[in-house]
Amino acid sequence: MKIYTKTGDGGLTSLIGGERVFKTDERVEAYGSVDELAAFAALLTDRLRADGGAETYVADLQRILSRLMTVEALLAVGKGGADKVAPLASDAVAWLEERIDAMQAEVPLIDKFTLPGGHAAVSLCHVCRTVCRRAERAALRADQAFGVDTVALAWLNRLSDYFYLLGRRLTALFGVEETLWIP
């Protein structure tokens, strides 16, 4: 089977269920943004594997990558496709909250924003956080127009917090200075 089909040359694509929509459709924008997030999360995962010492977070990210694919599929559902995609598990949000709470307990409390940087993995956490926020906004636009799984929306919201705390935790783990924003 060839990778190209030529069916999208006119600006249309198919959603799950067969509905044809423009590539500018809110759902396509949303699942494309989540796909971009997955690529950056995979890059972060690879970076952490190379650096070593962060196996727990590599395992977290592997789980997150799988769930990102589920969210992409949920966002790609069109007419007639609702029964073709399993919903995100209801405990997915609680799992992220547990992971966030565990990381937050290991870093000092702060009352300022942190600046990205200090280590490539920390910077990648901030890239993931910002792409996640954009994906969440796109998913919310898709929700307004077509409806989106509420667990998936909550999960994306929590996921950006996860990436923020992961960046803070990796700053401590790799022994780099956390830079606070002081205007």
Side-chain angles (χ1 to χ4, degrees):
M1 181 170 110
K2 290 186 176 187
I3 189 70
Y4 59 88
T5 62
K6 300 182 184 181
T7 61
D9 291 352
L12 294 174
T13 191
S14 293
L15 297 176
I16 296 171
E19 180 183 357
R20 300 282 294 164
V21 299
F22 281 102
K23 292 179 180 181
T24 55
D25 184 283
E26 289 92 344
R27 294 164 290 187
V28 177
E29 179 67 32
Y31 74 68
S33 293
V34 174
D35 193 32
E36 181 183 358
L37 173 58
F40 278 117
L43 182 60
L44 173 59
T45 305
D46 292 342
R47 180 67 208 215
L48 291 178
R49 273 194 197 104
D51 290 340
E55 292 77 16
T56 297
Y57 306 113
V58 168
D60 282 358
L61 289 166
Q62 286 300 129
R63 187 171 183 170
I64 287 167
L65 283 165
S66 178
R67 288 180 173 166
L68 282 169
M69 290 297 292
T70 300
V71 172
E72 284 183 60
L74 289 167
L75 291 166
V77 168
K79 292 177 184 156
D83 61 339
K84 297 182 187 319
V85 179
L88 193 61
S90 59
D91 67 343
V93 175
W95 178 82
L96 273 178
E97 290 171 347
E98 289 169 12
R99 298 304 300 135
I100 291 166
D101 292 345
M103 288 187 290
Q104 194 162 20
E106 296 179 13
V107 296
L109 292 175
I110 57 173
D111 61 357
K112 306 225 180 319
F113 289 108
T114 58
L115 297 177
H119 189 280
V122 173
S123 295
L124 278 170
C125 287
H126 286 279
V127 170
C128 289
R129 174 185 59 79
T130 58
V131 172
C132 187
R133 285 287 187 212
R134 181 165 34 86
E136 179 189 11
R137 291 189 301 271
L140 288 167
R141 285 190 296 276
D143 181 48
Q144 287 175 334
F146 303 99
V148 170
D149 181 274
T150 57
V151 175
L153 292 173
W155 187 80
L156 281 173
N157 184 35
R158 228 52 104 252
L159 184 59
S160 61
D161 296 331
Y162 173 89
F163 284 120
Y164 175 74
L165 258 300
L166 180 58
R168 292 202 65 220
R169 180 65 190 107
L170 293 177
T171 297
L173 183 70
F174 294 132
V176 295
E177 185 178 341
E178 183 171 53
T179 306
L180 301 179
W181 177 56
I182 302 171

